[in-house]
Amino acid sequence: MTEAAAPLSVRIEPLGYTFEAAPGETLLQAGLRAGIELPTSCRNGTCRTCLCQLVSGSIRYQIDWPGVSADEKAEGWILPCVAEPVSDVLLDVPFAYALI
């Protein structure tokens, strides 16, 4: 019997929102489920509306080539609409807000 993967912690700064992401869930999906809205438009990694800074932690993309340049990736910029965490993460998303 295999163990289910544990949810990972996501913290959004500068407002200090914290929520959990389930295995296979994008950062955007996890935020919405928790009542936190991240900037978004296309939800498929092309428009860059959700572009934000990964301060700490690790992610993997659910698509082969999201709309982030190699230089941006090296600087920690990510697209949470198509990124799922592989560790606890801290994101800098100045325009995030609570839906509730």
Side-chain angles (χ1 to χ4, degrees):
M1 182 158 126
T2 60
E3 290 184 33
L8 297 168
S9 175
V10 179
R11 183 165 176 91
I12 305 292
E13 291 296 345
L15 296 175
Y17 300 131
T18 302
F19 53 89
E20 291 185 339
E25 187 174 41
T26 68
L27 294 163
L28 176 66
Q29 291 166 335
L32 288 172
R33 186 177 43 75
I36 306 301
E37 177 79 30
L38 306 179
T40 188
S41 184
C42 73
R43 298 178 185 224
N44 65 19
T46 58
C47 77
R48 299 170 47 95
T49 299
C50 66
L51 187 70
C52 69
Q53 190 89 45
L54 177 66
V55 178
S56 66
S58 301
I59 58 105
R60 76 171 147 241
Y61 284 109
Q62 294 181 335
I63 61 174
D64 289 333
W65 188 250
V68 181
S69 72
D71 288 342
E72 288 170 326
K73 283 183 185 180
E75 293 171 1
W77 294 100
I78 67 164
L79 295 171
C81 69
V82 291
E84 61 183 79
V86 294
S87 72
D88 293 343
V89 296
L90 171 62
L91 305 177
D92 182 20
V93 189
F95 299 110
Y97 61 92
L99 296 170
I100 314 170

